[in-house]
Amino acid sequence: MQITYHEPTGDQVEIDLAASGEPFVDVTLVVNGKQLTKRAPARRLLSDFLRHDLGLTGTHVGCEHGVCGACTVMIDGQTARACLTLAAQCQGARIVTIEGLSPSDGTLSIVQQAFSDCHGLQCGFCTPGFVVSITSFVEENRGRTDFTDEEIREAAAGNICRCTGYAGIVAAVRLAAERVAAADAEGQDR
Amino acid sequence: MTTRNLGARVPRIEDPRLLRGEGIYVDDVDDRGALHVAFLRANVAHAKIARLDVEAARSAHGVRAVFTAADLGDIDRPLPQLIPHPDLTHPRTQLPLARDKVVFVGETIAMVVAEDRYLAEDAVDLIEIEYELLDVIVDLEESAAEGAPLVHEGVPRNVACHNVQVVGDPDAAFDEADVIIKERISVERSAGMPMEGRGVVARWNSRDKELTVWDSTQAPVSIRGGLASIFKIPESKVRVITPQTGGGFGTKVMMFYPEEVLIPWAAIQLDEPVKWTEDRREHFLGSNHERKQIHFIELAAKSDGTVIGLRDHFLHDTGAYIPYGIAVAQVAAGQIGGPYRIPNIRVSFDAVYTNTMTVSPYRGAGRPHSCMALEMAMEKLADELGIDRMELRRRNFISPDEFPYARDGITFADGNQVLMDSANYEPMLDQVLDEIGYEQFLEDQKVAEAEGRMLGLGLAVYVEGTGLGPYEGARINVHPITGKVHVAIGLSTQGQSHETAFAQIAADQLGIDPEDVILVAGDTAALGYGVGTFASRAAVCSGNAVNVAARKIREKALRLASNMLEADAEDLVMEDGKIAVKGAPGRAVSLRDVAIASNPLRYAFDEDAKAATQFAPAQTEGPPLPEGEVPGLQADGYYSPPGATWASGVHAAIVEINPDTCNVEFKRYVCSHDCGVMINPTVVEGQVYGGIAQGLGGAYYERFQYDRQGQMLNASFMEFLMPQATELPPVEMHHQETPSPLNELGLKGVGEAGAIPVPSLFASAVQDALKRYGTRVTEVPLSPNMVHRMIEEGKAKEQDAVPA
């Protein structure tokens, strides 16, 4: 199981104190392709920042201690736990959430469609985290379709699902990889 | 009607929005302007509250109010006792906020309402509290024993309920038995642990005096009724909405949790919207647990293997309170005979308080416990008699022609005597043994043993009483503008694919595509009658209710269409969203046309409405809306089951114990199950796979650990282990179908099926792998440490047996 932790970008962010004494920051970052600047308490978790300050409620919070994976987003091209990251750490970062991975015309990405075709979701709460994790996995292994069952399960082991027993998820990961490879072979854009 | 959709693997209608992150769960509900709540929870398990000072919290930055028991007025009284029972002689339920005493770690003591959750938590830390510690009792057997500290005053021996049920004459059976075996089976505490925790958002409109509550509950109609009663507001002014829910598994059907009353109360007091969603640690400490039982089971048998008597006494750990009554214990007791004839049974239990989190149902709700007690006892009996354990099962199965099979003297959770309606166990056992290669396995095992390897095959047969009443309903309306069919049901959804499964049923009656059905679940404004989603009942009860309502719509639509098309109803076919004259497809009306025409007020607002008026009127005789008729294509339908309908199954697995790590590794997992007619096989399989994963958790990973002071030692996902994709074996799944004779669609429930046999089969598999030592596995969840200990004990016994 691969857990990646987001290292702070190294960009400086200024802290000022509100009247209450609470430190605040103005964070400038790119979320799903759009640059924005937003003020938030310095201790604001990225998961709360995305969900409540930016209204991007697709990223879900299951544990707030980095284990369940429901909060998985992409930060600067790597999967990361939004619940273990501060918004302030993301100064200058590029973030992609489930909303950013979903086609703007309302259809489903290859990974999303594979999940649906394989009954890889039931309640849907862990699903955005899985889609982000698996999209990253498929991208990193683009073109490969010869995974063993163990490799697929390892790829899926960074996210907990309580509903499906993983049977549909395992099938979806394999199918997604196959379809991406097939689409590449046909020279289409993903 | 067609049956095109019943039994079809229709793709899920709810998937696209969930995959895109557009599902609205309770924490996603619009909370602009809402205040946020954090609780002070007891961090000791049993104590008097000597001093509680919230002043510093009240004046903290961003805090609007801090409430304690002293502030609660009318609602400072015990939360409802949901399910009374004559034997539940010493019920105790929680106060919303503890007043003088706390009895478990996590109990709510004070409620902070602030501008945001971070500030609310800051303020909680400022609350000063002093406890006078009292003796803590956590261990179940110790709590039931003489001289244990009392969790509650006035409850002798901590026993909330003592219940005894008898079928036939068990004492006589034990007297005439050739062989008697005894076993002690222990199941440790665990919990449903849905990925989404609980949450409540409440808005009070003080001008209209209307209360709207969003609650991630499995029973919104029941919550609405309770809130209306507690706050003395008419039900019509209380609306409860369950938004998309991230798993329930029973944890969210318990009511009332204190937060479910306190959050609406705070909204009313403060005249502001109030919101609370728990974090995971809170969930561990403040959302209900389950599973802890210890069974002392005995079987009486003839030497040919016929089991003539069963006695089981068990201790059931109910935790600190018992708001949900004795449901879990009753279900365990009700299922103790399993699939076997066993004509004489005595089953009894004590529900015992401990200073731990309250217990209420979690997927299986007692069935896994009694399955394991019975199945492991059967395997012990087989050993004792020298009969193959599969053969012993066969000899005792209730055969198909003996159904309906009664156990008069044992009540099931529906309040009726146990009456098993239908089943056919032997073909499932045959199928599983055949698929897993039982005969070959026995050979392989001998070879493995000779090589010093520990290879075992575990098996368990389960029964599942499902489809409890009292009833469920459906309200269907064909929309005159869009033509879509709106179906409202009285329960809520936690991932069971209701939007698709119930659409399939409606679609078959109405000759439409399931995609044209819009299901509304979990909104008391859409349908205010219903019970809830639990106990594997939604498909049976809501499914059949949808069928009843849809049929009424079908009949009315045909009747109206026959007027509009000036043809006899028998000459009409209903398919593809239209009603057409057989053999004359040009003479057709759409379902929408009929909906328009059925409401005489609706005339040509738009082109489509105008087009509909080209047909003959829907009613030709008498007034536009005949007496007894309702406008529109709408109908309500209800289904009330005469009794539970019983599903069943057989699961088996081959495992090998790794000699270095003592890890139990799966080689094969095969199951065959019978839930009657399947609405959507993909959905059914998903339910079974998911149940198996939780079952495996209960077999091998998920064990709550309390220390003797009542502190939970593993209240996080880092220490409480749940299976991930790497822990599940591939499952080979087979179906049998014995339709239920109790409902028109032939459905039986399947929601809990996968979870029931797994702990038993896992214990059976490990036991079989260790059979050279004669080890009996009697406790779940197991762990590599426990397996190691069993191996060491086995080796020591082998050495002792060697002559000096």
Side-chain angles (χ1 to χ4, degrees), chain A residues 1 20 22 41 43-49 51-52 57-65 67-70 98-99 102-108 111-113 115-128 130-131 149-150 152-170, chain B residues 11-12 14-25 27-28 31 61 116 118-119 121-122 190-197 244-247 249 275 279-281 284 362-363 494-497 682-687 689-691 693-694 697 702 715-718 720 722-731:
Chain A
M1 174 176 101
S20 63
E22 168 138 36
R43 60 177 170 167
R44 193 67 144 180
L45 297 175
L46 179 63
S47 47
D48 291 330
F49 181 75
R51 290 176 48 72
H52 300 297
T57 56
T59 302
H60 297 148
V61 176
C63 72
E64 280 184 336
H65 42 268
V67 176
C68 78
I98 183 68
E99 290 90 345
S102 304
S104 51
D105 60 0
T107 58
L108 300 179
V111 169
Q112 288 168 326
Q113 188 65 53
F115 267 76
S116 183
D117 292 344
C118 297
H119 195 34
L121 64 152
Q122 291 181 23
C123 81
F125 195 76
C126 72
T127 305
F130 263 107
V131 172
D149 188 57
E150 283 79 30
I152 298 272
R153 288 180 184 273
E154 274 288 331
N159 297 70
I160 300 179
C161 171
R162 203 62 177 145
C163 291
T164 66
Y166 305 102
I169 292 173
V170 168
Chain B
R12 283 201 350 155
E14 47 268 80
D15 277 356
R17 70 176 190 277
L18 298 179
L19 284 160
R20 293 173 57 88
E22 291 162 8
I24 302 295
Y25 298 81
D27 195 55
D28 308 332
D31 61 357
H61 169 67
D116 80 33
Y118 290 63
L119 298 175
E121 288 188 17
D122 288 345
S190 177
M193 212 52 67
M195 290 316 300
E196 182 208 23
Q244 201 71 46
T245 303
F249 312 119
K275 172 177 175 176
D279 60 32
R280 184 54 57 178
R281 186 163 177 282
F284 271 96
Y362 158 37
R363 199 172 198 173
Q494 303 82 41
Q496 302 93 332
S497 314
T682 302
V683 170
V684 168
E685 287 162 4
Q687 288 297 308
Y689 289 130
Q694 288 185 307
E702 295 165 26
S716 86
F717 286 170
M718 287 177 280
F720 177 76
M722 292 176 292
Q724 289 161 303
T726 35
E727 280 70 64
L728 268 299
V731 169

Side-chain angles (χ1 to χ4, degrees), chain B residues 545-566:
Chain B
V546 169
N547 192 46
V548 170
R551 182 190 302 114
K552 289 185 189 176
I553 302 247
R554 173 192 177 79
E555 284 163 359
K556 178 169 181 179
L558 286 171
R559 182 161 44 81
L560 301 186
S562 82
N563 269 339
M564 294 164 77
L565 294 169
E566 295 168 321

Side-chain angles (χ1 to χ4, degrees), chain A residues 33-92:
Chain A
K34 271 175 42 182
Q35 172 154 320
L36 55 96
T37 300
K38 189 93 179 160
R39 186 168 176 73
R43 60 177 170 167
R44 193 67 144 180
L45 297 175
L46 179 63
S47 47
D48 291 330
F49 181 75
L50 291 170
R51 290 176 48 72
H52 300 297
D53 295 321
L54 301 185
L56 296 169
T57 56
T59 302
H60 297 148
V61 176
C63 72
E64 280 184 336
H65 42 268
V67 176
C68 78
C71 70
T72 307
V73 295
M74 308 284 295
I75 304 182
D76 292 335
Q78 297 263 342
T79 51
R81 306 295 209 212
C83 75
L84 293 182
T85 311
L86 299 175
Q89 279 177 275
C90 296
Q91 178 75 354

Side-chain angles (χ1 to χ4, degrees), chain B residues 99-118:
Chain B
R99 200 192 298 131
D100 306 311
K101 206 177 133 170
V102 295
V103 287
F104 71 95
V105 170
E107 188 161 6
T108 43
I109 300 174
M111 174 167 64
V112 173
V113 186
E115 282 161 22
D116 80 33
R117 172 74 182 213
Y118 290 63

Side-chain angles (χ1 to χ4, degrees), chain B residues 254-277:
Chain B
M254 143 72 185
M255 68 190 92
F256 279 72
Y257 282 106
E259 303 90 348
E260 289 177 310
V261 173
L262 289 169
I263 304 308
W265 180 85
I268 295 171
Q269 295 305 304
L270 300 174
D271 204 9
E272 305 243 28
V274 176
K275 172 177 175 176
W276 169 81
T277 47

